[in-house]
Amino acid sequence: MTEKTDNGVGNVPSRQRKRFPGISSRAYEHPADRSALVALRRLTGFDTVFKALSGLLPERSLRLLFLSDSVRVSDAQFTHLNDMLRDACYILDLEKVPPMYVTQDPKPNAMCIGLDEPIIVVTTGLVELLDEEEMRAVVGHEVGHALSGHSVYRTILLFLTNLALKVAWIPLGNVAIMAIVTALREWFRKSELSADRAGLLVGQDLQASMRGLMKIAGGNHLHEMNVDAFLAQADEYEKGGDLRDSVLKILNVLPRSHPFSTVRAAELKKWSESRDYQRIMDGHYPRRSEDKDTSVTDSFRESAGHYADSVRTSKDPLMKLVGDIAGGAGDLAGDLSGKLRDRFGGGSSRSGAADGAAQSEG
């Protein structure tokens, strides 16, 4: 079915899906992702600096490259993807539909890049791998990146990664750059969890999102795969044996821009069962009109709370050790605080303690 909307976006979803007018990306952003973005958005001069950087970044070159050597999605080319793109923008109320390209690459992948305006790129490997509902979640994922402003940081990450490779021959030349790249990758992994949530809000089909992640991990062999078994892998991975496995997991994930597929599936399922997700589906979510009033302090506090909860509830041996140490330190601090209060407490408490001591000595 098609329908013309008040913001000019046509081709609304072929089946009834809920729409989220004016939704802020804060509604679905992972706490660590959100706190970083809020801080950057509120940083004085941030926009000016990155506008200046745009002259150094190869954005114009990338746009020309995709325009000349890929297929632009439209009413005339890859029409089913064009419909999905418009649907996703309609559901998340993104007024300007980003350009979307299909590029020849057997590896399943998608990205949203660009400083001035985001562009979405999907590979032929991904288009051929996923069915319609699975692909809809992916398109929603990329539109979520666009709504959150992730394309800016993704472009910077690509630029810095390439720059690090070019200056690798200079002694210590890429150390500082790689430190920034590592930090950006850690943020970007969290941003992928945010975008997965956006994909679920667009597709509104958890099973399709799960199937897509399984296919990315194991190819087009759904008859050989099982969602519950796939999620059990994530649980086994998190428990992770001993401290050596915990360290190896950290080393394995450092060079990656995306979290592992089983981890993404488990995180998305957990969020789909949360009160936050249900409130969004019920129409209760933060609006873009309120973004300017967002508190950086509150966002950091929420992010810190999320990490504290993650450490406390994690089954990973290293995280459990960190939690035990933190808990032990808290208990020790409490004991010391109590003893100091008893020893140096003020007023009537001190008098009462002295009187008691005098009675004991007598």
Side-chain angles (χ1 to χ4, degrees), residues 31-62:
D33 172 26
R34 188 188 314 142
S35 64
L37 288 178
V38 169
L40 287 171
R41 289 165 183 161
R42 295 289 292 272
L43 187 64
T44 303
F46 173 76
D47 290 339
T48 304
V49 169
F50 281 105
K51 289 294 182 183
L53 270 179
S54 65
L56 301 174
L57 298 176
E59 179 177 9
R60 296 176 70 88
S61 175
L62 285 173

Side-chain angles (χ1 to χ4, degrees), residues 147-220:
L147 183 58
S148 288
H150 290 159
S151 60
V152 173
Y153 317 112
R154 172 67 172 179
T155 306
I156 294 168
L157 177 59
L158 287 172
F159 171 72
L160 290 177
T161 302
N162 290 333
L163 182 60
L165 293 174
K166 291 178 181 177
V167 301
W169 61 274
I170 303 175
L172 301 179
N174 69 334
V175 172
I177 295 173
M178 286 310 300
I180 299 172
V181 167
T182 300
L184 277 172
R185 280 177 179 159
E186 168 60 18
W187 161 75
F188 200 79
R189 286 190 290 271
K190 297 300 186 293
S191 78
E192 287 299 308
L193 300 179
S194 298
D196 283 344
R197 296 174 178 185
L200 180 59
L201 290 176
V202 168
Q204 299 174 25
D205 184 345
L206 179 63
Q207 292 304 310
S209 294
M210 294 289 106
R211 291 197 310 268
L213 289 169
M214 283 198 303
K215 284 184 175 181
I216 289 172
N220 195 10

Side-chain angles (χ1 to χ4, degrees), residues 42-197:
R42 295 289 292 272
L43 187 64
T44 303
F46 173 76
D47 290 339
T48 304
V49 169
F50 281 105
K51 289 294 182 183
L53 270 179
S54 65
L56 301 174
L57 298 176
E59 179 177 9
R60 296 176 70 88
S61 175
L62 285 173
R63 290 180 182 277
L64 288 171
L65 178 64
F66 288 120
L67 185 63
S68 63
D69 204 34
S70 300
V71 177
R72 183 161 58 190
V73 171
S74 66
D75 287 330
Q77 302 185 115
F78 287 101
T79 55
H80 71 293
L81 294 181
N82 195 45
D83 289 343
M84 290 180 196
L85 178 61
R86 291 185 176 183
D87 289 350
C89 292
Y90 172 77
I91 291 171
L92 294 181
D93 199 16
L94 184 64
E95 292 189 11
K96 188 168 184 179
V97 180
M100 183 175 179
Y101 294 89
V102 177
T103 189
Q104 173 63 33
D105 187 341
K107 184 176 181 179
N109 197 15
M111 60 181 174
C112 181
I113 57 175
L115 286 178
D116 296 322
E117 294 182 2
I119 62 173
I120 295 172
V121 181
V122 297
T123 65
T124 51
L126 189 68
V127 174
E128 292 163 4
L129 178 66
L130 303 182
D131 67 24
E132 181 176 351
E133 292 304 307
E134 295 156 9
M135 194 67 201
R136 188 183 300 278
V138 169
V139 173
H141 173 113
E142 299 306 326
V143 170
H145 276 314
L147 183 58
S148 288
H150 290 159
S151 60
V152 173
Y153 317 112
R154 172 67 172 179
T155 306
I156 294 168
L157 177 59
L158 287 172
F159 171 72
L160 290 177
T161 302
N162 290 333
L163 182 60
L165 293 174
K166 291 178 181 177
V167 301
W169 61 274
I170 303 175
L172 301 179
N174 69 334
V175 172
I177 295 173
M178 286 310 300
I180 299 172
V181 167
T182 300
L184 277 172
R185 280 177 179 159
E186 168 60 18
W187 161 75
F188 200 79
R189 286 190 290 271
K190 297 300 186 293
S191 78
E192 287 299 308
L193 300 179
S194 298
D196 283 344
R197 296 174 178 185

Side-chain angles (χ1 to χ4, degrees), residues 310-347:
S310 297
V311 171
R312 186 171 59 253
T313 60
S314 177
K315 301 172 184 175
D316 180 83
L318 181 58
M319 290 299 100
K320 288 172 69 175
L321 177 62
V322 170
D324 290 343
I325 292 173
D331 292 341
L332 178 61
D335 290 343
L336 288 174
S337 177
K339 289 177 180 178
L340 288 172
R341 280 197 302 270
D342 291 342
R343 179 69 180 85
F344 300 106

Side-chain angles (χ1 to χ4, degrees), residues 3-10 19 21 90 93 95:
E3 173 184 332
K4 198 71 172 176
T5 68
D6 53 7
N7 65 0
V9 178
R19 184 177 180 243
Y90 172 77
D93 199 16
E95 292 189 11

Side-chain angles (χ1 to χ4, degrees), residues 26-29 31 34 197 201 270-286 302:
R26 291 180 293 115
Y28 57 81
E29 283 166 354
R34 188 188 314 142
R197 296 174 178 185
L201 290 176
K270 180 180 178 182
W271 187 70
S272 73
E273 296 168 348
S274 70
R275 185 170 179 269
D276 289 341
Y277 174 73
Q278 191 54 57
R279 282 181 57 80
I280 296 173
M281 296 305 294
D282 290 339
H284 305 294
Y285 50 82
E302 185 176 352

